[in-house]
Amino acid sequence: IICCLDDLPQGVQALLVISVIHFLCTAAKPVSSLVELFCEYFFLSVPRIEVPLTPAEATDDGVKDPPLDANETSPQLRLPSDPTKVQCWDPATLQHLGTAPAMTKEEVDELCSKAARAQKSWALTTYTQRRMVLRTIQKYILENIETICRVCARDSGKPKVDALLGEVMTTCEKIRCVNSNGEQWLERSYRPVGPMMMHKTAYVEYVPYGVLGVIAPWNYPFHNMLNHVISGLFSGNAVVSKVSEHTTWSASYFTRIVKAALEAHGHDPDVVQTLTGFGECGAALVKCEDVDKIIFTGSPAVGRKVMSGCSGNLKPCILELGGKDPMVFCDDVKIEDVVPWAMRGCFQNSGQNCCGVERLFVYESIQSKFLSAVVPKVKALRQGVPNAACGHNGDVDCGAMIMPAQLDIIEALVKDAVDKGAKLHCGGKRNEALNGQFFEPTVLSEITSEMRISKEEVFGPIMCVITVPNDSDDECIRLVNACDFGLGSSVYAASQERGMKIGNAFRCGMFTVNDFGVNYLIQSLPFGGVKESGFGRFAGPEGLRACCLERSIVKDRIWGVRTSIPPAINYPIKAGKGLPFGMSLVKLFYSEGLIGKLKGIIGLIKNS
């Protein structure tokens, strides 16, 4: 290259040298970033934080209030005698866990204002400082796994193993992924400029929005709150989370963890806030002027209200609105291999999963064999209280339903299906043997499109088996897509090529072949859906960048070389010169043939 430079003009030489240096620096940067990250983890240790625990958080049998009698009364979240409080209950034992304030608009605005003030200094922190906070949270999680699982089980009724898989493991992977890749994902994104602007450098930078408002659901209280705190803090934002009134009790503990990690590194803990209350509290968060973007997870009906609330001041929002996810078993699968995935997909967290399996499509020729294999396993599931409390040992497969009203919804959907011809193999009713919010693990087959359960989100421990007639891939695709939701999906087939071909025809946001749920353990992938499942994404570079304002920047590439306005089109424009000059300029840069470009050059000379 150096030998050839002697024959070129000095200006071209300079451009080539700059280009080569830029290329070498770009190529070397990923390697140097990995080395820097390794050194940071190796040489910079993080402190151990202490978070005080209440007896109910510290031990399985730490709640001393007696259980309610489910036959006589049901837990009330809001008492007429004390409407300023959220009443917290264990859905498995029906023990009273305590209260939390039902925050007013004024209280919401005050906490959001605190977060906005704290964000000003947090936005100035380095990525290393942000990683140190997240690593401190990670260290605490690893040293207190059982405590976190216990608290999740107590507040949401799930078995500790489900809490480990769905709450702890996913949160740890989120922290690992963001710490490893987040800085790279938020780096300036350089863009090509084209020949007319070759003297310019153009890029997009990702600037923190300011305050992210999060409305979190109740099915995974630990992960659903930490999920957005992790990405929000790493991207330089403050995060204000409105937790569900159904899982308010655990939010206090989880918030203390985050604030302790911030304080351990000298940062203002006000950059993270937690709101408790009912619908009016969430509405106040959406409309608060200090909140710059809303991230909502919940039902389509409430999602529409959130979007409507954001429209008043054109506030951007991300809506993750649940799903009716299909799992497909083609005729060439091995039954013994796929049954465990059907069980996990339908009964993890008692079916209370956004991307849980709500429609199980089984090809006609293997359906009988599949049902013979799966029904005994479902009947053998142990359901009960997930903590060793109130005389129980906590050794269970399925826990309780979090929302009392969800029991009524599931019961009505099952009854409608059976009344219209569905076959009930087991379950189908509340578990009367347990004094809590339990619905028996259920298997239904012969589901048809006329049944409500084929269209409406169940969010419960129900396996709905739908026949794929004549083992037809085309009919399978039609049945899967005949749904208002479009979140996740999975296909099992002996041939991965066949599974991919089927899955590629699905209208959904996520698809996995010969596996289930693993896309969420790959946090570099965006999470979200289409249709009634909402829009926008979290996780992956798309989700992290969604926490930021995308700002386009243009600057001079070479010192002293700037854009100038040619006299022919400079105000006041020369009569008879401006338009011909502009037309010639367009021909020079955009004509595909050499003759057209030459005409453009001649025109520029004539009209200059």
Side-chain angles (χ1 to χ4, degrees), residues 1-8 13 16-17 20:
I1 294 174
I2 293 172
C3 294
C4 296
L5 285 178
D6 292 338
D7 300 326
L8 297 173
Q13 289 182 29
L16 282 174
V17 170
V20 170

Side-chain angles (χ1 to χ4, degrees), residues 121-132:
S121 58
W122 178 253
L124 301 177
T125 56
T126 65
Y127 287 119
T128 296
Q129 290 174 307
R130 297 172 193 178
R131 277 190 291 265
M132 294 292 282

Side-chain angles (χ1 to χ4, degrees), residues 24-39 184:
L24 291 175
C25 291
T26 302
K29 192 164 187 180
V31 177
S32 64
S33 296
L34 284 174
V35 172
E36 289 173 8
L37 196 61
F38 174 80
C39 291
Q184 179 185 347

Side-chain angles (χ1 to χ4, degrees), residues 218-369:
W218 37 260
N219 54 342
Y220 288 95
F222 180 63
H223 179 71
N224 286 334
M225 188 178 91
L226 268 290
N227 181 26
H228 301 297
V229 167
I230 293 164
S231 52
L233 288 180
F234 192 88
S235 54
N237 294 283
V239 184
V240 181
S241 301
K242 192 279 177 187
V243 296
S244 170
E245 56 268 38
H246 295 280
T247 50
T248 293
W249 174 75
S250 58
S252 171
Y253 172 46
F254 303 149
T255 303
R256 297 199 305 272
I257 296 172
V258 177
K259 287 183 176 288
L262 287 162
E263 290 174 329
H265 294 279
H267 302 298
D268 189 344
D270 281 346
V271 76
V272 171
Q273 299 289 346
T274 300
L275 309 180
T276 57
F278 300 97
E280 51 269 32
C281 175
L285 176 65
V286 170
K287 294 181 179 180
C288 179
E289 293 183 359
D290 283 317
V291 175
D292 299 286
K293 187 169 186 174
I294 293 292
I295 303 173
F296 171 80
T297 304
S299 69
V302 179
R304 285 179 167 84
K305 292 180 180 179
V306 169
M307 188 163 60
S308 176
C310 289
S311 68
N313 53 6
L314 299 180
K315 186 177 297 182
C317 62
I318 295 173
L319 302 180
E320 197 275 281
L321 306 179
K324 193 77 181 162
D325 284 11
M327 178 179 278
V328 175
F329 294 157
C330 294
D331 54 302
D332 53 4
V333 300
K334 293 181 180 179
I335 298 296
E336 63 272 18
D337 290 343
V338 299
V339 164
W341 292 111
M343 297 283 288
R344 177 59 63 183
C346 293
F347 301 115
Q348 162 90 16
N349 197 25
S350 291
Q352 298 166 108
N353 307 292
C354 295
C355 54
V357 176
E358 295 238 347
R359 297 178 296 156
L360 187 56
F361 292 90
V362 181
Y363 278 44
E364 186 174 16
S365 64
I366 64 167
Q367 180 173 293
S368 177
K369 186 178 179 182

Side-chain angles (χ1 to χ4, degrees), residues 213-531:
V214 177
I215 301 179
W218 37 260
N219 54 342
Y220 288 95
F222 180 63
H223 179 71
N224 286 334
M225 188 178 91
L226 268 290
N227 181 26
H228 301 297
V229 167
I230 293 164
S231 52
L233 288 180
F234 192 88
S235 54
N237 294 283
V239 184
V240 181
S241 301
K242 192 279 177 187
V243 296
S244 170
E245 56 268 38
H246 295 280
T247 50
T248 293
W249 174 75
S250 58
S252 171
Y253 172 46
F254 303 149
T255 303
R256 297 199 305 272
I257 296 172
V258 177
K259 287 183 176 288
L262 287 162
E263 290 174 329
H265 294 279
H267 302 298
D268 189 344
D270 281 346
V271 76
V272 171
Q273 299 289 346
T274 300
L275 309 180
T276 57
F278 300 97
E280 51 269 32
C281 175
L285 176 65
V286 170
K287 294 181 179 180
C288 179
E289 293 183 359
D290 283 317
V291 175
D292 299 286
K293 187 169 186 174
I294 293 292
I295 303 173
F296 171 80
T297 304
S299 69
V302 179
R304 285 179 167 84
K305 292 180 180 179
V306 169
M307 188 163 60
S308 176
C310 289
S311 68
N313 53 6
L314 299 180
K315 186 177 297 182
C317 62
I318 295 173
L319 302 180
E320 197 275 281
L321 306 179
K324 193 77 181 162
D325 284 11
M327 178 179 278
V328 175
F329 294 157
C330 294
D331 54 302
D332 53 4
V333 300
K334 293 181 180 179
I335 298 296
E336 63 272 18
D337 290 343
V338 299
V339 164
W341 292 111
M343 297 283 288
R344 177 59 63 183
C346 293
F347 301 115
Q348 162 90 16
N349 197 25
S350 291
Q352 298 166 108
N353 307 292
C354 295
C355 54
V357 176
E358 295 238 347
R359 297 178 296 156
L360 187 56
F361 292 90
V362 181
Y363 278 44
E364 186 174 16
S365 64
I366 64 167
Q367 180 173 293
S368 177
K369 186 178 179 182
F370 170 77
L371 287 169
S372 297
V374 79
V375 170
K377 289 186 176 295
V378 177
K379 288 180 177 178
L381 289 174
R382 299 160 302 165
Q383 188 170 46
V385 176
N387 282 320
C390 298
H392 300 272
N393 62 16
D395 192 12
V396 299
D397 301 307
C398 282
M401 302 298 298
I402 301 169
M403 281 180 59
Q406 197 67 22
L407 292 163
D408 299 327
I409 293 170
I410 297 170
E411 206 164 41
L413 290 172
V414 171
K415 183 179 184 304
D416 174 80
V418 172
D419 288 346
K420 293 175 180 176
K423 183 175 181 180
L424 177 64
H425 297 267
C426 60
K429 63 183 188 302
R430 299 167 193 250
N431 193 330
E432 302 293 347
L434 296 167
N435 184 54
Q437 296 165 185
F438 296 92
F439 199 93
E440 293 182 0
T442 299
V443 179
L444 290 167
S445 65
E446 300 178 27
I447 301 294
T448 63
S449 60
E450 292 78 23
M451 301 170 187
R452 289 173 54 201
I453 206 166
S454 71
K455 306 180 188 72
E456 300 177 26
E457 192 171 22
V458 180
F459 232 62
I462 314 295
M463 180 181 289
C464 291
V465 180
I466 302 171
T467 306
V468 178
N470 303 316
D471 294 350
S472 168
D473 291 354
D474 290 339
E475 183 62 11
C476 174
I477 293 167
R478 188 193 69 79
L479 290 169
V480 166
N481 287 333
C483 179
D484 291 335
F485 293 95
L487 188 57
S489 61
S490 55
V491 173
Y492 288 76
S495 163
Q496 181 165 276
E497 183 180 359
R498 181 189 183 188
M500 288 295 297
K501 184 177 180 181
I502 295 170
N504 285 337
F506 294 166
R507 179 73 170 166
C508 61
M510 299 171 289
F511 164 65
T512 306
V513 63
N514 289 331
D515 218 324
F516 165 75
V518 293
N519 58 299
Y520 204 69
L521 279 175
I522 303 173
Q523 280 286 315
S524 58
L525 290 173
F527 183 92
V530 297
K531 301 190 284 187

